[in-house]
Amino acid sequence: MTDIKIPPDHPRAESLRIREKLIAYYSEGMVAVAGLMAHGRGETFDYLLGEKTTKSALKAINAAAVMLLTAKKPVISVNGNTAALVAEEIVKLAHVTNAKIEVNLFYRSLERELVIKKRLKKAGAHEVLGVGENALAKIPELSSERRRVDPNGILVADVVLVPLEDGDRTEALVKMGKKVVAIDLNPLSRTAQNATITIVDNVVRAMPRLVETVEKLKCQGKSELKEVLLNFDNRKNLTEIIALIKESLSELAEKGETLSFGESAI
Ligand code: PTJ
C-alpha cells in the first residue's frame, strides 16, 4: 500500500482508490505484478468508454445472467485481480446462480492460491475449488499454468465465467464445448473475441450489475429467458462497442475538445 491520501473531491478519486486496492493486494501476494499492468490496460479502454456501463454492456450482462441462470454446472473462475476487486460480488453471484468458485491463475503458485482462497472464504464462500492438489485435471491444448483445473469445477462445467483473462484459455474452453462468459474492457482482445458472451465493462461495475440482473430475472419463465439468449448476438455487440469508441473519439477530434468524462489522470 502506498501512503498516498486520496482527496475525496479529486476528479479521479474512484479510479485512484481502485489502483490503491490493487497495490495493497499486490503487496499481500494476491495480485500478480502483471495484474497491475493488465489493470492499466483496462483503465485505458475504460477511459475510452466514458468509465460507465454502456447500453451494449447492459445487453451482454442481461444475456450473461440468463446463461448463468440456465446453466447446469456454472463455474466462476477467479484470478488475482478479480479476487482483489470483487471478492464479495463473486460470492454473491455464486450464491444466486448456484455456481462453483474456482481459483485459476496464469501466474500460478500455491501461496497466491491460498491468499485468494482466504479472501474468498472471508467474503463468505463455502467452497473454493482449484487450490493446490485439487487442480489435478488438465485442459487439453493449453500449455500455460491455466491448464490445471479442478475435476469437480471447470473440467465438468457447461458455463464458465472468466472475468479478466488472457485469451488462450477462453479459446480452449470453447473448443471443449463450454460456453464462456468473459468480462473484459478490451473489445479487441482474444478473450473478448472468442467468448460466447463478452461483457465489455469494468469488472467493478459489471459484477454488481450481474448479481442484480440475476436476482431480477430469477422469477422469469424459461421461454422468456431463452428469448433473451436468442436475441443476443455477441459479434454484433462487440462491433457496436468498437463503433462507440470510434464515434466518441471522432466527435472529440472534430470539436477539438478534451474528454469530458475523465478529466486528466494523475
Ligand atoms: O492472477 P493471474 O496470475 O491469473 O493473472 C491475471 C492477469 C490479469 C495478469 C492475466 O490474466 C493476464 O495477463 O491478463 P491479460 O492478458 O493482461 O488480460 C487482461 C485483460 O483484462 C485485458 O484485456 C485488460 O484490458 C482487461 N482488464 C484489466 N482490468 C480490467 C479489465 N477488464 C475489466 N475490468 C477491469 N478492471
Side-chain angles (χ1 to χ4, degrees):
M1 185 82 160
T2 62
D3 290 331
I4 185 173
K5 291 228 169 359
I6 303 162
D9 59 347
H10 191 289
R12 303 207 45 80
E14 185 51 24
S15 168
L16 293 177
R17 270 194 289 272
I18 295 171
R19 272 191 207 175
E20 284 300 306
K21 203 171 189 181
L22 281 169
I23 295 168
Y25 282 118
Y26 163 74
S27 307
E28 284 187 24
M30 186 181 301
V31 174
V33 66
L36 300 177
M37 297 177 197
H39 182 73
R41 194 135 49 99
E43 275 184 337
T44 310
F45 283 98
D46 207 10
Y47 202 82
L48 294 173
L49 286 161
E51 294 177 321
K52 57 178 188 279
T53 304
T54 63
K55 279 190 188 149
S56 306
L58 282 176
K59 278 194 256 172
I61 289 173
N62 221 32
V66 173
M67 190 164 271
L68 286 165
L69 268 175
T70 52
K72 289 197 176 72
K73 291 185 174 183
V75 173
I76 305 172
S77 178
V78 182
N79 65 12
N81 288 47
T82 44
L85 294 177
V86 286
E88 288 77 16
E89 287 78 8
I90 288 167
V91 174
K92 277 188 205 155
L93 187 66
H95 181 68
V96 290
T97 58
N98 225 355
K100 298 203 177 216
I101 300 175
E102 176 164 344
V103 178
N104 184 277
L105 305 178
F106 188 80
Y107 301 97
R108 193 180 265 279
S109 75
L110 184 59
E111 291 74 27
R112 287 190 66 218
E113 290 168 37
L114 291 172
V115 176
I116 292 169
K117 180 177 174 180
K118 198 171 155 198
R119 168 126 169 88
L120 290 165
K121 285 268 182 184
K122 204 171 162 206
H126 298 303
E127 189 187 24
V128 178
L129 302 177
V131 175
E133 293 302 310
N134 291 332
L136 51 84
K138 288 198 176 100
I139 300 178
E141 297 183 49
L142 200 59
S143 50
S144 77
E145 279 298 288
R146 278 208 194 280
R147 74 185 182 283
R148 290 173 49 197
V149 290
D150 197 304
N152 299 311
I154 291 173
L155 189 74
V156 291
D158 54 346
V159 175
V160 188
L161 174 69
V162 293
L164 239 141
E165 163 87 34
D166 57 296
D168 289 7
R169 188 173 60 134
T170 299
E171 275 180 273
L173 291 174
V174 170
K175 270 191 196 155
M176 286 171 83
K178 300 180 192 300
K179 297 204 163 73
V180 176
V181 176
I183 305 177
D184 191 334
L185 275 161
N186 179 359
L188 306 168
S189 75
R190 271 182 311 135
T191 300
Q193 294 285 326
N194 285 302
T196 320
I197 296 176
T198 311
I199 302 170
V200 181
D201 195 14
N202 198 318
V203 78
V204 299
R205 290 189 302 268
M207 282 297 284
R209 285 260 191 186
L210 193 51
V211 175
E212 241 176 68
T213 312
V214 167
E215 280 171 337
K216 207 176 72 196
L217 293 177
K218 238 186 156 166
C219 314
Q220 294 219 359
K222 276 211 166 126
S223 60
E224 281 158 298
L225 293 180
K226 264 192 185 162
E227 197 69 19
V228 174
L229 284 185
L230 284 174
N231 289 330
F232 182 78
D233 180 340
N234 203 47
R235 182 103 344 249
K236 189 166 159 250
N237 203 259
L238 285 170
T239 310
E240 273 173 25
I241 291 163
I242 294 164
L244 192 77
I245 294 176
K246 186 175 159 237
E247 270 165 39
S248 56
L249 285 175
S250 305
E251 244 172 62
L252 292 163
E254 269 167 35
K255 288 187 197 155
E257 283 176 5
T258 50
L259 294 171
S260 58
F261 37 79
E263 302 300 325
S264 60
I266 60 164

